[in-house]
């Protein structure tokens, strides 16, 4: 639900999002406490801000969403807002951004628009709980039946080292963008906290590792191991700079991003070990994104994007591969005077999708103005068994979703 009101030089927006998942409520005993808390019932803040304008100067105060970069699927520059990553593959990038408390000052000139943003809270998005169906840690920590039984008897959850409103928890962002005839160009800089965070190995996991190395059965740890195992995420700072470019060539639109991250925090270790030894390191990384879309077909748009990172300096044993290439393809077509829309999308991780892939197809029909019905199918591929990635273990996650959506306004 969203409320808007505006005057000649000011605007107020207040939004709120609530959700209730009956599937988790019906069979809550099947899931651990952390998973029920993350998925069953949530209220999330949407944009809630006051925007003021004095000539060429804009000031926005409050919870807001700011889209950076040019990518539709992959955008290494889209770093201002945290994301909702609880169910991968079910939504587009525009629907994954979560609002954050920030102050934005923008100044428009004939040569471009300069923006400065400071965030004021430590909100790092929504993640799947550690042992939920969509968590890669479920595969890493629970591949062994004995370890899985041990963890299932405990409450395993994430905590954040940085509190929401610590004095130094915010990040700073600077962007300059200009638009010309057939092109968009942007330069970016940021001193920010890593929204993903690095995992600090808790006492419970260290106990598991020592017990397995010494041959002690895990059942003997029942009294020594804590009933709640907290996986702490440390959101450390790093520097980022980048450039984006979008160009139009007839029916083609080409997009690109080039990003350099200095001192980017990451976890180290062997994700394929029975109990991985998790460490923390830093890396200097260059990430590129290239994409092209074509709209020359009647009522049809197709697009392709590729993302690739290169580690210039860093530890030799990152827990997850940083230089893994990712590919995305999308196609959309409308029928019946745009009332019927068909969307197809696919994403692959690795040159041969050896680290996982997903495909999504959606059909939406507008029955009446603002009233739509739809059907969506999402299929996951787990990739090769010996590889560990974000979709590892996704063998029973396919979904069919039926949707009814009615958007209405009260004036």
């Amino acid at each position: 639900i969203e409320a808007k009101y505006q005057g000649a030089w000011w605007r107020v927006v207040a939004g709120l999002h609530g959700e209730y998942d009956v599937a988790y409520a019906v069979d809550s005993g099947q899931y651990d406490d952390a998973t029920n808390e993350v998925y069953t019932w949530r209220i999330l803040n949407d944009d809630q801000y006051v925007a003021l304008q004095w000539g060429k100067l804009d000031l926005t105060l409050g919870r807001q969403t700011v889209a950076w970069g040019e990518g539709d699927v992959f955008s290494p520059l889209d770093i201002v807002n945290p994301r909702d990553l609880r169910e991968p593959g079910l939504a587009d990038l525009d629907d994954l951004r979560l609002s954050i408390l920030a102050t934005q000052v923008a100044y428009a000139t004939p040569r471009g628009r300069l923006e400065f943003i400071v965030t004021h809270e430590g909100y790092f998005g929504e993640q799947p709980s550690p042992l939920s169906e969509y968590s890669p840690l479920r595969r890493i920590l629970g591949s062994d039946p004995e370890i899985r039984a041990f963890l299932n008897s405990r409450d395993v959850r994430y905590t954040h080292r940085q509190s929401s409103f610590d004095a130094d928890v915010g990040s700073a962002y600077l962007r300059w963008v200009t638009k010309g005839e057939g092109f968009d160009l942007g330069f970016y800089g940021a001193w920010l906290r890593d929204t993903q965070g690095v995992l600090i190995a808790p006492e419970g996991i260290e106990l598991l590792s020592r017990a397995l190395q010494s041959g002690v059965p895990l059942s003997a740890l029942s009294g020594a191991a804590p009933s709640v195992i907290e996986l702490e995420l440390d959101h450390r700072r790093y520097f980022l700079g980048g450039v984006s470019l979008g160009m139009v060539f007839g029916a083609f639109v080409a997009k690109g991003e080039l990003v350099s991250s200095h001192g980017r925090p990451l976890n180290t270790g062997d994700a394929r070990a029975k109990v991985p030894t998790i460490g923390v390191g830093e890396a200097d990384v260059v990430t590129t994104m290239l994409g092209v879309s074509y709209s020359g077909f009647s009522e049809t748009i197709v697009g392709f994007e590729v993302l690739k990172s290169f580690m210039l300096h860093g530890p030799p044993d990152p827990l997850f591969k940083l230089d893994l290439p990712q590919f995305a393809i999308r196609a959309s077509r409308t029928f019946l005077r745009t009332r019927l829309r068909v969307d197809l999308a696919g994403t692959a991780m690795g040159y041969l999708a050896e680290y996982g892939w997903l495909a999504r197809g959606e059909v939406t029909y507008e029955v009446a103005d603002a009233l739509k019905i739809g059907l969506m199918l999402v299929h996951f591929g787990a990739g090769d068994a010996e590889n560990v990635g974000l979709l590892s273990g996704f063998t029973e996650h396919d979904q069919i979703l039926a949707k009814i959506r009615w958007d209405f306004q009260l004036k």
Side-chain angles (χ1 to χ4, degrees):
I1 186 172
E2 185 177 61
K4 297 180 179 179
Y5 195 82
Q6 67 181 38
W9 53 274
W10 58 274
R11 178 163 47 99
V12 177
V13 175
L16 202 63
H17 169 86
E19 61 183 47
Y20 182 70
D21 195 326
V22 179
Y24 289 91
V26 169
D27 197 9
S28 60
Q30 180 181 342
Y31 308 98
D32 63 297
D33 291 343
T35 298
N36 282 317
E37 291 174 9
V38 169
Y39 287 98
T40 305
W41 169 245
R42 298 302 302 273
I43 295 179
L44 303 175
N45 292 302
D46 281 341
D47 287 353
Q48 301 168 353
Y49 61 81
V50 176
L52 310 174
Q53 183 178 30
W54 297 282
K56 298 179 180 179
L57 183 66
D58 295 329
L59 175 63
T60 306
L61 307 169
R63 306 190 66 88
Q64 50 194 287
T65 304
V66 181
W68 270 24
E70 295 284 347
D72 296 317
V73 180
F74 305 129
S75 182
L77 282 170
D78 192 33
I79 54 173
V80 178
N81 291 92
R83 299 182 184 179
D84 188 345
L85 302 177
R86 291 174 296 168
E87 294 184 324
L90 299 189
D92 293 328
L93 180 58
D94 289 342
D95 299 319
L96 297 178
R97 297 186 189 97
L98 298 168
S99 63
I100 191 168
L101 185 63
T103 298
Q104 179 181 179
V105 180
Y107 185 74
T109 72
R111 295 182 178 272
R113 176 182 171 91
L114 182 65
E115 300 174 353
F116 178 64
I117 302 171
V118 177
T119 59
H120 307 298
E121 68 171 329
Y123 180 40
F124 305 107
E126 302 292 325
Q127 303 91 11
S129 57
L131 299 183
S132 71
E133 298 167 313
Y134 293 100
S135 172
L137 281 180
R138 178 176 176 147
R139 157 84 185 279
I140 296 173
L141 298 178
S143 57
D144 182 86
E146 189 180 10
I147 297 175
R148 184 166 61 249
F150 176 84
L151 293 176
N152 286 339
S153 66
R154 276 150 177 80
D155 183 13
V156 185
R157 59 180 60 239
Y158 288 122
T159 62
H160 301 277
R161 174 164 293 186
Q162 289 75 23
S163 299
S164 296
F165 295 101
D166 286 347
D168 65 340
V169 78
S171 301
Y173 308 86
L174 185 66
R175 173 172 71 165
W176 179 79
V177 290
T178 185
K179 297 184 178 183
E181 187 174 349
F183 77 92
D184 294 344
L185 176 65
F187 295 92
Y188 306 76
W191 183 53
L192 71 155
R193 290 196 179 273
D194 175 29
T195 55
Q196 178 177 313
V198 289
L199 184 64
I200 307 299
E203 178 184 356
I205 300 300
E206 294 176 354
L207 280 172
L208 281 178
S209 180
R210 290 197 298 267
L212 290 171
Q213 291 173 4
S214 61
V216 175
L218 297 186
S219 57
L221 296 179
S222 298
S227 59
V228 178
I229 298 178
E230 294 184 342
L231 305 179
E232 186 180 41
L233 295 174
D234 186 7
H235 303 274
R236 303 183 179 185
R237 292 189 184 277
Y238 68 101
F239 289 94
L240 178 145
V243 59
S244 69
L245 177 64
M247 301 185 70
V248 179
F249 304 95
F252 287 93
V253 177
K255 301 177 179 181
E257 298 179 20
L258 179 64
V259 181
S260 175
S261 303
H262 176 68
R264 178 176 166 182
L266 76 166
N267 277 118
T268 60
D270 183 4
R272 294 171 293 185
K274 196 171 185 180
V275 176
T277 301
I278 299 176
V280 178
E282 292 184 352
D284 296 335
V285 183
V286 171
T287 303
T288 59
M289 186 283 294
L290 295 174
V292 61
S293 61
Y294 179 70
S295 58
F297 303 120
S298 175
E299 299 182 350
T300 303
I301 298 176
V302 295
F304 175 79
E305 290 183 8
V306 59
L307 179 76
K308 181 73 169 71
S309 293
F310 305 88
M311 189 163 66
L312 305 181
H313 174 74
D317 58 341
L319 191 63
F320 294 102
K321 287 179 66 67
L322 283 182
D323 58 352
L324 191 68
Q326 300 181 50
F327 306 91
I329 187 169
R330 299 163 57 89
S332 298
R333 183 177 175 85
T334 58
F335 303 87
L336 304 178
R337 298 181 180 179
T338 73
R339 299 188 74 88
L340 178 66
R341 179 185 175 99
V342 178
D343 294 289
L344 302 174
T347 302
M349 300 180 181
Y351 289 108
L352 300 175
E354 66 271 23
Y355 283 84
W357 58 278
L358 65 88
R360 187 180 77 214
E362 184 174 4
V363 178
T364 305
Y365 180 70
E366 188 173 10
V367 180
D369 289 343
L371 177 61
K372 298 178 181 179
I373 59 175
L375 192 68
M376 181 167 67
L377 170 65
V378 182
H379 174 68
F380 294 92
D384 297 342
E386 65 271 17
N387 296 325
V388 178
L390 296 178
L391 300 180
S392 294
F394 276 40
T395 57
E396 300 175 348
H397 297 69
D398 295 356
Q399 293 196 31
I400 296 177
L401 299 96
K403 302 192 299 180
I404 301 175
R405 176 165 179 157
W406 179 32
D407 295 303
F408 61 91
Q409 293 184 351
L410 300 176
K411 297 183 179 181

